[in-house]
Amino acid sequence: MLNEPIRLAIITGSVRIGRLGPTVAQWFAAEAGHREDLTVDVIDAADVPLSLTGPTRQPAPDMVEVLAEISPRIESADAFVVVTPEYNHSYPAGLKNLIDWHITQWRAKPVGFVSYGGMSGGLRAVEHLRAVFAELHAMTIQSTVCFRDCAEAFDTDGLPKDRAACEAAAKDMLDQLVWWANALKDARAKTPYSV
């Protein structure tokens, strides 16, 4: 089982017009894509039109259709990386909505974070997300990748200006994520996780 690549879902959390999220997510997906121990699926919250009036026990037909497309992608992931900005000391509402529509899919799986923002680099959003994922029985990774003063952090080609440091941070976080993903995948196979 340890020889199988880990299925990593990278979730772009911002849905705002003019957002930096896709640039950050594309760079990180390329970094993860260089590794033989990962397969990558990028999920953009802006492409997932989930109702803000849910989640509900009996979703409306249009939500059933949306969930039929997105939920299997989240379910099949062995690990997650959430790419999030910091809005008003926290994370975006669209990201929380995507998380809340899914409960069991996160359980006993590791979650890493790539954040961006002003002086804090989005780390206050990450701290709030750690509590959310703990409630969902997910395991958050200690190492993060963060971009302070994000408007100045990327060049016109969509690459970090401080590439060496960013690549090193990404490798460190992904190394931890893969270790936890393998350990938890093995554990789930031996003993299904129950709450």
Side-chain angles (χ1 to χ4, degrees):
M1 199 175 267
L2 291 177
N3 293 330
E4 296 176 11
I6 292 300
R7 294 179 305 252
L8 172 64
I10 298 173
I11 299 172
T12 307
S14 175
V15 300
R16 287 185 178 180
I17 295 170
R19 64 206 168 117
L20 183 63
T23 299
V24 179
Q26 287 169 10
W27 166 77
F28 188 80
E31 291 298 306
H34 295 313
R35 298 176 63 117
E36 293 183 3
D37 54 359
L38 293 170
T39 60
V40 177
D41 179 20
V42 179
I43 298 170
D44 189 338
D47 296 334
V48 185
L50 289 167
S51 169
L52 292 174
T53 60
T56 60
R57 292 180 193 261
Q58 296 179 336
D62 59 332
M63 287 303 98
V64 170
E65 189 175 320
V66 172
L67 290 167
E69 184 177 327
I70 192 61
S71 296
R73 292 171 68 188
I74 295 173
E75 179 68 41
S76 68
D78 299 311
F80 306 95
V81 168
V82 176
V83 178
T84 184
E86 181 179 314
Y87 296 157
N88 301 317
H89 283 229
S90 196
Y91 51 85
L95 173 59
K96 182 66 161 67
N97 194 44
L98 175 65
I99 293 167
D100 286 350
W101 273 97
H102 299 89
I103 302 297
T104 60
Q105 292 88 347
W106 313 107
R107 289 180 183 163
K109 296 178 183 178
V111 182
F113 301 99
V114 177
S115 64
Y116 57 97
M119 289 179 57
S120 76
L123 292 176
R124 292 174 291 208
V126 170
E127 289 309 308
H128 287 188
L129 282 165
R130 287 186 191 283
V132 171
F133 280 109
E135 179 66 20
L136 294 168
H137 297 259
M139 163 64 202
T140 60
I141 301 304
Q142 191 273 337
S143 291
T144 62
V145 180
C146 74
F147 294 95
R148 290 177 173 80
D149 300 317
C150 61
E152 304 299 323
F154 286 81
D155 64 22
T156 55
D157 294 324
L159 298 173
K161 291 179 180 176
D162 188 356
R163 288 182 65 185
C166 294
E167 288 170 4
K171 180 186 182 309
D172 183 49
M173 190 257 277
L174 286 169
D175 286 348
Q176 288 182 28
L177 192 75
V178 167
W179 190 94
W180 279 106
N182 278 315
L184 291 171
K185 185 178 179 182
D186 211 25
R188 289 192 314 272
K190 289 177 184 174
T191 307
Y193 186 83
S194 62
V195 178

